[in-house]
Amino acid sequence: MIPLAWYIALSAVLFTIGALGVLVRRNPLVIFMSIELMLNSANLAFIAFSHAFGALSGQVFVFFVMAVAAAEVAVGLALIVAIFRTKHTINVDEMNSLKG
Amino acid sequence: MLLAILPELLLLVLALLLFIVEPFWKGERPRSGWVTFYGLLLIMIVSLIFGTPRASQEAFGGMIRFDWFAFLFKMLFLFGAALTALFFMDHPLLSKRGEAYLLLLAATLGMCLMASASDLVMLYLAIETTSIPLYVLAGFFLNEQDSTEAGFKYLFFGALTSAVMLYGLSLLFGLAGTTALAALGEKFASGQLSLQVAWGILALVTVGLAFKVSVAPFHFWAPDVYQGAPTAVTGFLSTASKAAGFAVLLRLFLMAFPSAQIPWPLLLAILAALTMTIGNLLALPQTNLKRLLAYSSIAHAGYILIGVVAATELGMTSVIFYLIVYLLTNLAAFGILMALGKVLGSDEVTAYNGLSRRSPWLALAMLVAFLSLAGMPPFGGFVAKVFVFAAGVEAGYIWLVFVGVLNSIVGLYYYLNVMKYVYLYRMPGEEEKKHPIQLSQATAWGLGVLILGVILLGTVFAPWFAFSSQAAQAMFLP
C-alpha cells in the first residue's frame, strides 16, 4: 500500500514540471503538453484523495477535467494552425503584433 | 427542480435549434442573428414569468443553488448576450456566420451556470464552458493576424490559470473531503482544517478567478485580447464574462471561505489597490481606443473589488449594482467603437477627429458612456461608484477608498481626453458634413437602449438598487 503523501508529492512534482515547461518552452505544442501535465497532476491528486476518503466526487471530477482538457487542446491546435497560416511560424516569441 | 435551470435549458434548446436550421438559410439577411436576439429576449421573458426563485434552495444534489443572486445574474447575462447578438449583425464577417451565435449562446449558458454553481465540480465545468467558446470567438477571424493572436493568447493564459486553479481545487478537496461549497464553509468555520494550507489553496484559486475578472497581476492578457478580438466580441468579453467571474468570486469566497477564520478581504484589498492603480496609469498613454478601454476595464475590476473586500451586505449589493451599470456602459462603449471602427477603419483616437460634426448623436452617446465610465453624475457610473466606496468606508477600508477616489480622478483625465478628439478637433482639410456616419438599424436600437439604461440607472436608481439588495441578501441566508 503506497501512502497518500507519496501520491501528493508526485502530483506536486508533476505540477512544478508542467509550470516550468509553460514558462521556459517557446513552442506552443510543448506548452500545451506542459499545461496537460499540470491538469493531470491535479487529476492525480483528486484520485489519490478520493481513494483516501472513499468519496467518489473526486473521481467524477477527473472525468470532467479530461473532457475539458480535450476540448481546450482541440481549440488550441485549431488556433495554432490558423496562426501558422498567417504568420508562417508558431514560435510564441513571434506573437507580438499586439502590444503597448 | 427543472425551474432552477430554466434559462439554461431554454438556451440549450435555442442553440440546438439554431444548429439545425442555420445550414438551410441562404441569402443576404442575417436570420441567425435575429433568431438569437429574439430567442434570448423570449428566454428572459419566460424566465421572469415562470422561473423566479421563491426561496433559496439547492438543486441537483447540491450542484446548483437556485436563489435571487443567481437569477439576477442570469438575466444580466441574457440581456448582455442579446445586445451582443445585435452588434454581431453589424459586422460583415460575423453577421451571417451561424457558429458565431452558437458560440455566443454556449458561452452564455456557461455564464448562467457560473452564477448558480455551488459545488467545485460544477464551478470548474461552468468556468470552462464559458471560456472555451470565448477563446474561439476571440480568434474568430481566422485570416486576420490580430484576431488569431488574441484568441491564442486568451486560450494560453486561460488554460494556464485554470490549471493552477484546478490544482488549488484538488488540494481543497483533499483538505476538506468534500466538493460542496456550503460544506467547505462549515468545515472551515468549525476550525477543523489547517488554515496555513487554506492560505496556499486560496492563493492558487485566486489566480484562476483573478484572470477571469482581469485583476492585477493577472491582467496582462486583457489589453492584447481586447484589441485583437472582434470588437463586438470584446464588448461581451469585458462585460458579461467579467460579471460571471465576479459572480463565482462572490459565491466561492463568501460560501467556502469564512472571512472570520481566513481573512481573505485583506488579500483582495491589496489586489484591488494594485489593479486600480495599474489599470489607470497604463491607460494614460494609450492611443488605441480598444486598448484604452481594456485598461479602463482593468481599473473597473479594481473598483468592483472594493465592494467584494467589504464582504458585507452593502458590499455585495454595491458589487451587483456596479456590475449591472458596468455591463450597460461598457457594452455601449464597445458598441460605439464597433460601429465607428467599421466606418473609420481604425480604432486610433486620431481617427475620431470631428466626430461630433459627422454624427452628433453617436458623439453624444459616446459622451454619455465615457462620462458614466468616469463616474460622473447623473449617469449610472457615478451612483455605482458611490455605493462601492460607501461599502468600503462602512467596512473600515478607508485607505482603499482613498486610493479608489484618487484613481477615479486619473480615470477622468483619459476619458475626457478622448472626448476632446470627438468634440473639439476637426477633420484636417475636410468638410465633416460630407462624411456622415451611417448606423445600421440594429446597432442604433441597441445603442439607444443601452444609453437610456445608463441614464436610467443613474437617475432612478432605487428599484435597481432594491433588486441588487435582494440578490445580495440571498448570499447571506443559509
Side-chain angles (χ1 to χ4, degrees), chain B residues 34 37-38 41 44 75-76 78-84 86-87 324-325 327-333 335-336 361-362 365 368-369 372 379-380 439-459 464:
Chain B
W34 287 113
F37 174 69
Y38 285 118
L41 283 192
M44 268 182 91
M75 292 304 110
L76 197 61
L78 290 173
F79 178 76
L83 266 298
T84 308
L86 275 189
F87 292 147
I324 298 174
V325 172
L327 183 122
L328 266 77
T329 315
N330 229 23
L331 216 51
I336 294 163
W361 288 104
L362 209 53
V368 170
S372 177
F379 305 115
L439 280 187
S440 78
Q441 207 165 13
T443 314
W445 275 102
L447 286 178
V449 167
L450 287 172
I451 294 299
L452 271 183
V454 169
I455 297 171
L456 199 67
L457 279 166
T459 46
W464 311 104

Side-chain angles (χ1 to χ4, degrees), chain A residues 8 11-13 15 19 22-23 28 31-32 35 38-39 41-43 45-46 49-50 53 55 57-61 64-65 68-69 71-72 75-80 82-83 85-87 92 94-100, chain B residues 120-121 124-125 128 131-132 135-136 139-140 142-153 155-156 158-160 162-164 166-167 169-171 173-179 204 223-225 227-229 286 291 295:
Chain A
I8 307 311
S11 98
V13 169
F15 184 80
V22 170
L23 296 175
I31 289 177
F32 275 122
I35 289 177
M38 291 167 79
L39 291 174
S41 74
N43 282 350
F46 268 123
F49 284 131
S50 187
F53 292 129
S57 51
Q59 309 213 6
V60 173
F61 211 139
F64 286 124
V65 173
V68 164
E72 232 163 29
V75 172
L77 292 180
L79 282 170
I80 290 175
I83 287 174
R85 279 196 189 138
T86 53
K87 270 192 165 55
V92 287
E94 306 285 323
M95 291 187 200
N96 51 9
S97 55
L98 302 167
K99 62 183 173 200
Chain B
L120 296 182
V121 181
Y124 177 74
L125 267 183
E128 292 299 326
S131 301
I132 292 175
Y135 301 150
V136 184
F140 200 76
L142 288 180
N143 298 321
E144 284 179 23
Q145 206 163 315
D146 285 358
S147 180
T148 48
E149 187 178 320
F152 179 78
K153 280 182 174 166
L155 171 89
F156 170 62
L160 177 62
S162 88
V164 173
L166 183 71
Y167 195 66
L169 295 184
S170 78
L171 294 181
F173 172 65
L175 187 66
T178 174
T179 50
L204 291 173
D224 288 0
V225 174
Q227 186 189 349
Q286 300 304 327
R291 240 186 141 71
Y295 281 111

Side-chain angles (χ1 to χ4, degrees), chain B residues 201-215:
Chain B
I201 292 170
L202 198 67
L204 291 173
V205 172
T206 309
V207 171
L209 294 177
F211 167 82
K212 280 279 346 145
V213 298
S214 69
V215 158

Side-chain angles (χ1 to χ4, degrees), chain B residues 168-360:
Chain B
L169 295 184
S170 78
L171 294 181
L172 191 58
F173 172 65
L175 187 66
T178 174
T179 50
L181 296 188
L184 281 170
E186 278 165 23
K187 290 208 171 176
F188 275 117
S190 65
Q192 300 168 5
L193 308 175
S194 151
L195 294 180
Q196 284 84 9
V197 181
W199 269 108
I201 292 170
L202 198 67
L204 291 173
V205 172
T206 309
V207 171
L209 294 177
F211 167 82
K212 280 279 346 145
V213 298
S214 69
V215 158
F218 305 100
H219 65 282
F220 41 78
W221 61 277
D224 288 0
V225 174
Y226 283 17
Q227 186 189 349
T231 314
V233 175
T234 309
F236 193 62
L237 266 186
S238 76
T239 55
S241 170
K242 186 171 287 204
F246 270 107
V248 167
L249 190 86
L250 289 180
R251 182 85 78 180
L252 182 65
F253 278 37
L254 280 182
M255 277 180 82
F257 299 108
S259 55
Q261 274 74 33
I262 313 165
W264 52 263
L266 190 65
L267 172 79
L268 289 191
I270 296 166
L271 289 186
L274 210 67
T275 309
M276 286 185 285
T277 316
I278 289 180
N280 277 319
L281 288 185
L282 289 181
L284 287 176
Q286 300 304 327
T287 55
N288 184 304
L289 272 180
K290 276 167 94 177
R291 240 186 141 71
L292 183 128
L293 280 185
Y295 281 111
S296 121
S297 98
I298 293 168
H300 279 279
Y303 300 133
I304 300 171
L305 265 189
I306 298 178
V308 182
V309 165
T312 55
E313 207 177 296
L314 178 64
M316 296 308 123
T317 311
S318 67
V319 168
I320 297 166
F321 186 80
Y322 203 115
L323 285 170
I324 298 174
V325 172
Y326 179 73
L327 183 122
L328 266 77
T329 315
N330 229 23
L331 216 51
F334 276 108
I336 294 163
L337 249 60
M338 180 208 62
L340 287 172
K342 202 176 68 170
V343 179
L344 306 174
S346 161
D347 296 316
E348 291 298 316
V349 71
T350 44
Y352 285 65
N353 283 345
L355 181 70
S356 64
R357 288 179 176 81
R358 295 175 71 181
S359 174

